[in-house]
Amino acid sequence: MALQPSLRPLIIAGTADAPHTLDIFLDYVCPFSAKLSLAIDSVLVPLLGPGGRYHGKVKAIFRPQVQPWHASSTFVHEAGLAVARAAPESFWSFSLALFKHQGEYFDVPTSTLTPLQIREKLAALAAEVIPVPSSAAGKFADLLVLASSPNGGNAVTDDLKYTIKFSRQNGIHVSPTVLWDGLVANEISSSWGEQEWTDFLLAKVTIE
């Protein structure tokens, strides 16, 4: 599946030239996405990373899945994309932190906050994850500053549009959804652990 160059940090495991691809559509404020993120980090990242059985064979791409019925979904995904630009090496760490704190961005906790206050909370979380000393934290905040025009978005709006259009044209409606080499793998579940992922990859990938 295609991935524009500016979003290369969304490859969270494996090498960019790996022949097989797991496209994993996740929403930061979806509890099932949070559950799957734990398996990704504990199982897939080691398997696809250096020294792993499938290193160079499979890559995993985080596909932001904005779900507008969650009121803060746009804001949290903007934050993820801002980290991808400001501190690409911290994108997955920030994503895990945001999944851990997702309850703070659910509908009720954010219902009394302004958009600026939500972005300030996200900036504080990013500052905890991005290594210091670093200018990246300041760059992160700058990327989320609204344009001077009344409806111009911010510096990551184009990236957000890309991710939303990508989901729409591929018929992705809910999170989590996982594609294997471009086709929906309905059997993959947020409840999968090491055994299920190991069996899946063993059946899909030839190791020479």
Side-chain angles (χ1 to χ4, degrees), residues 25 27 31 40 46 79 87 100 104 129 132 149 162 165-166 186 208:
F25 293 78
D27 179 12
I40 293 170
K100 181 179 179 181
E104 298 174 25
V129 175
V132 290
S149 58
Y162 173 90
K165 291 175 181 179
F166 186 87
N186 284 318
E208 298 177 355

Side-chain angles (χ1 to χ4, degrees), residues 6-67:
S6 66
L7 296 179
R8 191 61 64 86
L10 273 59
I11 301 175
I12 55 176
T15 58
D17 60 351
H20 294 292
T21 303
L22 280 163
D23 288 288
I24 306 174
F25 293 78
L26 302 171
D27 179 12
Y28 286 123
V29 285
C30 165
F32 296 103
S33 292
K35 187 176 181 180
L36 181 54
S37 75
L38 297 177
I40 293 170
D41 193 55
S42 63
V43 180
L44 282 183
V45 170
L47 284 174
L48 308 188
R53 178 178 175 84
Y54 299 100
H55 183 61
K57 298 287 186 178
V58 182
K59 61 182 175 291
I61 302 176
F62 184 125
R63 297 288 188 176
Q65 178 68 6
V66 177
Q67 300 190 130

Side-chain angles (χ1 to χ4, degrees), residues 14-208:
T15 58
D17 60 351
H20 294 292
T21 303
L22 280 163
D23 288 288
I24 306 174
F25 293 78
L26 302 171
D27 179 12
Y28 286 123
V29 285
C30 165
F32 296 103
S33 292
K35 187 176 181 180
L36 181 54
S37 75
L38 297 177
I40 293 170
D41 193 55
S42 63
V43 180
L44 282 183
V45 170
L47 284 174
L48 308 188
R53 178 178 175 84
Y54 299 100
H55 183 61
K57 298 287 186 178
V58 182
K59 61 182 175 291
I61 302 176
F62 184 125
R63 297 288 188 176
Q65 178 68 6
V66 177
Q67 300 190 130
W69 49 87
H70 297 311
S72 69
S73 188
T74 294
F75 298 122
V76 293
H77 284 289
E78 281 182 341
L81 292 168
V83 171
R85 282 188 174 269
E89 71 286 348
S90 297
F91 171 74
W92 181 234
S93 296
F94 175 76
S95 295
L96 290 172
L98 188 45
F99 280 124
K100 181 179 179 181
H101 292 272
Q102 67 173 193
E104 298 174 25
Y105 300 93
F106 284 174
D107 292 345
V108 172
T110 58
S111 63
T112 58
L113 301 178
T114 67
L116 289 178
Q117 288 173 324
I118 295 172
R119 290 189 173 104
E120 287 173 358
K121 279 177 60 68
L122 290 163
L125 181 62
E128 294 178 10
V129 175
I130 296 173
V132 290
S134 171
S135 62
K139 183 179 179 182
F140 168 88
D142 291 342
L143 289 168
L144 297 182
V145 173
L146 295 176
S148 57
S149 58
N151 205 28
N154 55 42
V156 297
T157 296
D158 285 343
D159 286 346
L160 187 72
K161 288 180 179 178
Y162 173 90
T163 63
I164 293 172
K165 291 175 181 179
F166 186 87
S167 293
R168 287 176 176 174
Q169 79 168 16
N170 288 290
I172 308 302
H173 301 292
V174 297
S175 67
T177 297
V178 181
L179 276 57
W180 172 259
D181 288 346
L183 297 179
V184 175
N186 284 318
E187 68 269 32
I188 294 177
S189 167
S190 60
S191 64
W192 273 20
E194 182 175 2
Q195 187 61 57
E196 290 85 358
W197 276 111
T198 300
D199 291 344
F200 177 84
L201 292 171
L202 188 62
K204 297 288 187 179
V205 184
T206 301
I207 302 296
E208 298 177 355

